[in-house]
């Protein structure tokens, strides 16, 4: 009996060992197969990567019966210096609502300190392109930072320096208007002309000529494109500039922005 019990004990031990080894082999096979699958998931082949679609941003939803205004450019578009926090854009849109009775949908993308180079680069962004394509009217204020920084805030008024600054700016403006027109063939585009915040300081005759020439050459670029116009603001500030400037003596105050907004709204017909 004792020998028989020992024999059964050995058989059971052998079977248990075989089952354990089999289980170990199965577990290792499952582990390495899963790891390989994980690596494949984390590092897809070139064909798999190419098959993944690149999703473009959804077009801007346009409500039927509404009218879309897109405002681009620098701190004037943003309304910097206006204690009423409207800027020329806010005043123009308010006038448009009163005249048309339509729902005006405004997208204001003004950026403090923006230059023409920066604006041109931003127009390549898909979300901004979608806004451009959906717009009925586009406002732009750009160029002030190019001119006044290019002349170190009018500290360097040499003809050579101003010409260098202007020659760098005008191709950028041309590219901006071309891109806008390529993306939207029917929107009306209004480019805000520059005023001279330095007209009551020394060298006023020189700064006046610089700004007037800048506006003239900018208007010649705008004239190349359909439904595009430069909105003059120079005359609005020339006689009483200090009455229309904010505390920084550079940006318009609330009254100055109202002048620009009213001038702009007067050019928009329904």
């Amino acid at each position: 009996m004792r020998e028989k019990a020992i024999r059964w004990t050995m058989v059971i031990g052998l079977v248990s060992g075989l089952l354990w080894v089999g289980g170990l082999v199965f577990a290792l096979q499952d582990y390495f197969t899963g790891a390989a699958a994980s690596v494949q998931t984390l590092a897809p082949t070139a064909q798999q990567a190419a098959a993944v679609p690149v999703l473009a941003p959804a077009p801007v939803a346009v409500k039927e019966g509404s009218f879309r205004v897109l405002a681009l450019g620098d701190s004037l578009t943003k309304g910097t210096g206006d204690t009423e926090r409207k800027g020329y854009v806010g005043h123009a849109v308010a006038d448009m609502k009163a005249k048309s009775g339509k729902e005006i949908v405004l997208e204001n993308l003004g950026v403090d300190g923006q230059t023409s180079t920066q604006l041109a680069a931003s127009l390549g962004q898909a979300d901004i392109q979608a806004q451009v394509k959906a717009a009925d009217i586009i406002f732009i204020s750009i160029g002030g930072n190019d001119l006044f920084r290019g002349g170190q805030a009018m500290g360097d008024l040499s003809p050579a320096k101003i010409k260098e600054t202007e020659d760098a700016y005008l191709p950028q403006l041309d590219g901006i208007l071309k891109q806008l027109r390529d993306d939207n063939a029917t929107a009306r585009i209004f480019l805000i002309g520059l005023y001279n915040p330095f007209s009551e300081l020394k060298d006023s005759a020189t700064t006046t000529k610089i700004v007037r020439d800048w506006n003239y050459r900018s208007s010649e670029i705008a004239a190349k494109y359909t439904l595009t116009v430069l909105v003059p603001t120079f005359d609005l500030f020339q006689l009483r500039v200090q009455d229309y400037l904010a505390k920084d003596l550079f940006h318009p105050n609330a009254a100055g922005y109202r002048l620009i907004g009213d001038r702009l709204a007067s050019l928009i017909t329904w």
Side-chain angles (χ1 to χ4, degrees):
M1 287 293 294
R2 185 178 180 183
E3 290 180 359
K4 186 175 181 181
I6 292 172
R7 190 180 299 116
W8 275 107
T9 301
M10 291 176 66
V11 171
I12 292 171
L14 179 61
V15 172
S16 299
L18 291 174
L19 290 173
W20 182 85
V21 171
L24 177 61
V25 171
F26 178 81
L28 289 174
Q29 182 180 12
D30 182 68
Y31 171 81
F32 286 111
T33 303
S38 297
V39 171
Q40 185 175 16
T41 301
L42 293 173
T45 65
Q47 289 181 338
Q48 289 172 325
V52 176
V54 177
L55 299 178
V60 175
V62 178
K63 183 179 178 181
E64 186 176 355
S66 66
F67 194 86
R68 297 192 65 89
V69 174
L70 174 63
L72 301 169
D74 53 30
S75 52
L76 263 68
T77 290
K78 187 175 179 180
T80 300
D82 187 356
T83 55
E84 297 179 3
R85 308 180 71 84
K86 291 183 177 180
Y88 80 84
V89 175
H91 287 293
V93 168
D95 285 352
M96 291 167 62
K97 287 180 179 178
K99 289 179 180 178
S100 68
K102 291 186 176 183
E103 177 185 358
I104 309 293
V105 178
L106 170 65
E107 187 71 29
N108 190 329
L109 302 181
V111 178
D112 281 330
Q114 190 171 69
T115 64
S116 61
T117 301
Q118 292 167 337
L119 176 57
S122 74
L123 295 181
Q125 299 174 13
D127 55 341
I128 294 182
Q129 287 181 337
Q131 293 288 348
V132 170
K133 291 175 181 179
D136 295 294
I137 282 182
I138 301 173
F139 300 153
I140 312 171
S141 64
I142 201 70
N145 293 309
D146 295 75
L147 174 58
F148 298 127
R149 287 180 187 172
Q152 286 83 51
M154 294 305 196
D156 182 357
L157 300 176
S158 65
K161 182 61 179 178
I162 298 302
K163 184 177 187 304
E164 175 188 343
T165 303
E166 193 174 61
D167 288 348
Y169 166 72
L170 291 172
Q172 292 290 345
L173 176 63
D174 193 18
I176 288 166
L177 296 178
K178 182 179 186 305
Q179 183 65 57
L180 292 174
R181 189 50 73 215
D182 286 346
D183 289 339
N184 189 324
T186 60
R188 285 173 280 174
I189 301 174
F190 295 90
L191 174 66
I192 308 301
L194 301 188
Y195 59 91
N196 180 14
F198 308 114
S199 61
E200 291 188 1
L201 304 179
K202 67 176 184 177
D203 297 321
S204 61
T206 301
T207 58
T208 292
K209 183 179 186 308
I210 289 170
V211 175
R212 289 174 68 92
D213 289 347
W214 184 281
N215 284 333
Y216 173 75
R217 295 191 66 184
S218 296
S219 69
E220 290 290 289
I221 297 293
K224 293 170 52 178
Y225 298 93
T226 59
L227 301 174
T228 303
V229 63
L230 183 136
V231 180
T233 66
F234 184 91
D235 60 311
L236 300 176
F237 289 75
Q238 185 66 10
L239 297 180
R240 297 168 52 194
V241 66
Q242 297 301 321
D243 292 345
Y244 299 123
L245 295 182
K247 291 181 180 179
D248 62 8
L249 300 180
F250 184 77
H251 293 95
N253 57 21
Y257 277 118
R258 180 177 291 278
L259 287 177
I260 299 173
D262 288 348
R263 169 67 61 82
L264 175 55
S266 72
L267 299 176
I268 300 173
T269 57
W270 298 94

